[in-house]
């Protein structure tokens, strides 16, 4: 696998799961996003991904990429592959690493935990809801949705949702499928 193999993450998935042509395709995608040929991707580079750019949570998703793996100016190819590994479909056999249910839930939790204090507050819920629905519903309706969400999820009644509570409320959600992207075939 030569030079590109040296750029791969330590263990986002086994080498039997990724082939040379897949690495080449990932590297080509990385280079196409790195339009200035800097050798790394910055936050603006991710806005070139159309599906991401139209997502109302685009900024939060991109920030989560950089909060998690960025060092310095941007994301290297190795870090880029590591981030994408989280969105690989979960296989039924073998150990799951970055794309496990728990890792996907941690990533989703980060979308809501805007101040990164390990808790989702009512204000954070309101902010996310507002981003998702905009002016389609009233502030009163948004507040009602946030309050209902807190009532259902906040089992210890401390006014915030912890990761454990988030995990519990997401038990019936097929997060493995909803947070999987087939970027290699």
């Amino acid at each position: 696998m030569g030079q590109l193999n040296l750029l791969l993450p330590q263990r986002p998935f086994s080498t039997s799961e990724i082939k040379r042509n897949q690495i080449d395709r990932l590297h080509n995608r990385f280079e196409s996003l790195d339009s200035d040929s800097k050798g790394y991707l910055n936050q603006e580079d991710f806005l070139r991904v159309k599906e991401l750019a139209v997502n109302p949570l685009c900024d939060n998703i991109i920030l989560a990429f950089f909060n998690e793996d960025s060092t310095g100016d941007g994301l290297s190819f190795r870090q880029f592959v590591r981030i994408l590994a989280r969105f690989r479909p979960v296989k039924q056999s073998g150990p799951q690493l970055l794309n496990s249910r728990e890792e996907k839930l941690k990533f989703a939790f980060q979308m809501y935990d805007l101040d990164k204090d390990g808790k989702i507050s009512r204000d954070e819920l309101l902010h996310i809801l507002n981003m998702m629905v905009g002016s389609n519903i009233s502030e009163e309706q948004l507040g009602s949705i946030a309050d209902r969400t807190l009532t259902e999820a906040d089992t210890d009644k401390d006014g915030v949702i912890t990761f454990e509570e988030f995990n519990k409320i997401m038990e019936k959600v097929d997060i493995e499928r909803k947070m999987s992207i087939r970027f290699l075939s």
Side-chain angles (χ1 to χ4, degrees):
M1 286 195 199
Q3 294 275 57
L4 288 179
N5 193 35
L6 297 173
L7 299 173
L8 286 176
Q10 296 303 328
R11 285 186 37 92
F13 34 77
S14 72
T15 53
S16 64
E17 290 182 71
I18 189 163
K19 297 175 178 63
R20 171 69 185 192
N21 68 332
Q22 294 171 327
I23 295 170
D24 289 341
R25 287 183 16 223
L26 280 175
H27 197 262
N28 287 340
R29 182 62 170 152
F30 177 85
E31 287 180 332
S32 73
L33 291 173
D34 180 18
S35 60
D36 299 334
S37 300
K38 303 174 296 294
Y40 61 86
L41 300 178
N42 59 34
Q43 292 180 15
E44 293 77 36
D45 292 326
F46 279 95
L47 294 175
R48 290 188 190 84
V49 179
K50 290 179 213 163
E51 298 82 0
L52 186 57
V54 298
N55 187 313
L57 298 178
C58 175
D59 291 338
N60 292 29
I61 293 168
I62 292 171
L63 279 174
F65 291 165
F66 283 82
N67 285 341
E68 184 171 304
D69 274 320
S70 180
T71 55
D73 296 320
L75 296 174
S76 67
F77 177 65
R78 178 182 296 244
Q79 293 163 320
F80 176 72
V81 172
R82 183 176 168 84
I83 286 167
L84 292 181
R86 178 159 286 111
F87 298 98
R88 283 185 61 114
V90 176
K91 294 196 176 195
Q92 297 304 318
S93 61
Q96 302 301 316
L97 303 168
L98 294 174
N99 64 329
S100 69
R101 177 176 178 78
E102 182 167 351
E103 289 300 316
K104 288 176 187 281
L105 284 169
K106 285 178 183 175
F107 190 86
F109 185 80
Q110 287 182 34
M111 300 299 100
Y112 294 90
D113 182 15
L114 302 176
D115 62 7
K116 306 299 177 216
D117 67 352
K119 300 172 269 197
I120 301 169
S121 68
R122 182 180 188 277
D123 287 342
E124 289 169 320
L125 281 173
L126 283 171
H127 183 78
I128 295 296
L129 287 168
N130 198 31
M131 289 172 66
M132 292 171 69
V133 298
S135 59
N136 293 330
I137 64 175
S138 70
E139 291 293 321
E140 184 178 306
Q141 290 170 312
L142 284 175
S144 177
I145 293 168
D147 291 339
R148 263 187 309 202
T149 302
L150 272 171
T151 300
E152 287 179 32
D154 182 19
T155 55
D156 64 6
K157 306 299 179 208
D158 63 352
V160 294
I161 301 169
T162 63
F163 177 71
E164 291 75 23
E165 291 167 330
F166 182 79
N167 197 1
K168 180 81 174 150
I169 199 99
M170 298 294 283
E171 278 179 345
K172 293 184 176 128
V173 175
D174 186 5
I175 199 81
E176 293 91 340
R177 186 180 57 77
K178 291 184 183 290
M179 283 187 66
S180 292
I181 302 168
R182 291 201 175 278
F183 54 89
L184 296 175
S185 51

